[in-house]
């Protein structure tokens, strides 16, 4: 019988799948799951009282405690320059948009921000727009030309409405 490349490839593929199946099945059959026990064991990385990062009875970490802080849904986006994403809610589709950059102008309820790549967007602020300057609540009137900001909001047509403007602490 003549062995061709097709038959050789089919044989190797079958042997590989058989070996993978045995690799996964045999250890699972040999080690049945242990029966439940009345005692509880601590997580191997659990902190003891007095150690940095100890959570105690409070559960997960919150702002102000040791360890990483919750950064919110848009944390990954603020590492870029600007962007948009279509999201679906109960009332339909919305275009979420964000931008990092420098304030280049403020006129009434409008704030103009220029990103590092030269894109300038004008954001409309409304009564519900939250402004945080260096970790503290602030107002739109506190924004000045040259401030480095992160703006998050929505776009409808050509109008970008700012829901949050954040001026991070200088590094």
């Amino acid at each position: 019988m003549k062995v061709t490349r097709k038959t050789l490839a089919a044989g190797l593929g079958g042997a590989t799948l058989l070996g993978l199946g045995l690799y996964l099945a045999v250890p699972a059959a040999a080690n049945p799951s242990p029966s439940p026990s009345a005692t509880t064991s601590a997580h191997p990385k659990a902190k003891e009282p007095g150690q940095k990062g100890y959570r105690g009875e409070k559960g997960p970490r919150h702002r102000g405690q040791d360890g990483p802080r919750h950064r919110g849904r848009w944390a990954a986006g603020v590492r870029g320059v600007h962007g948009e994403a279509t999201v679906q809610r109960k009332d339909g589709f919305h275009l979420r948009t964000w931008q990092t950059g420098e304030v280049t102008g403020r006129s009434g309820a409008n704030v103009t921000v220029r990103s590092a790549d030269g894109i300038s967007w004008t954001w409309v602020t409304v009564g519900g727009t939250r402004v945080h300057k260096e970790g503290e609540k602030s107002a739109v009137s506190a924004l000045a030309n040259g401030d480095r900001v992160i703006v998050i909001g929505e776009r409808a047509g050509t109008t970008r409405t700012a829901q949050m403007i954040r001026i991070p602490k200088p590094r």
Side-chain angles (χ1 to χ4, degrees):
M1 179 168 122
K2 185 175 179 182
V3 178
T4 64
R5 287 184 178 178
K6 284 184 180 181
T7 55
L8 184 59
L12 285 173
T16 302
L17 286 175
L18 178 64
L20 179 63
L22 288 172
Y23 175 77
L24 295 174
V26 171
N31 295 327
S33 61
S35 61
S37 129
T39 61
T40 60
S41 61
H43 188 273
K45 293 184 179 180
K47 306 290 183 184
E48 295 295 322
Q51 281 184 313
K52 183 176 181 180
Y54 174 68
R55 296 184 204 176
E57 300 297 321
K58 296 179 183 176
R61 289 178 238 200
H62 300 284
R63 289 181 185 249
Q65 295 180 0
D66 293 331
R69 292 168 37 147
H70 174 70
R71 298 184 64 185
R73 292 184 208 181
W74 291 86
V78 297
R79 293 178 188 220
V81 180
H82 55 82
E84 296 180 335
T86 303
V87 295
Q88 184 176 12
R89 297 190 196 137
K90 290 180 183 178
D91 62 341
F93 293 95
H94 295 266
L95 191 60
R96 296 287 291 173
T97 184
W98 57 268
Q99 180 181 21
T100 60
E102 183 178 303
V103 174
T104 58
R106 190 172 59 82
S107 172
N110 296 337
V111 176
T112 303
V113 178
R114 185 179 62 232
S115 297
D117 64 347
I119 296 293
S120 285
W121 286 346
T122 300
W123 296 83
V124 177
T125 60
V126 293
T129 301
R130 296 180 319 250
V131 179
H132 293 275
K133 188 169 188 173
E134 298 177 1
E136 302 292 326
K137 286 186 179 180
S138 188
V140 175
S141 59
L143 296 173
N145 286 351
D147 282 345
R148 300 284 308 158
V149 295
I150 301 165
V151 186
I152 298 172
E154 291 192 357
R155 180 171 65 92
T158 59
T159 304
R160 288 180 172 79
T161 303
Q163 294 173 333
M164 185 197 68
I165 301 174
R166 186 172 156 244
I167 304 168
K169 293 180 181 179
R171 292 184 177 215

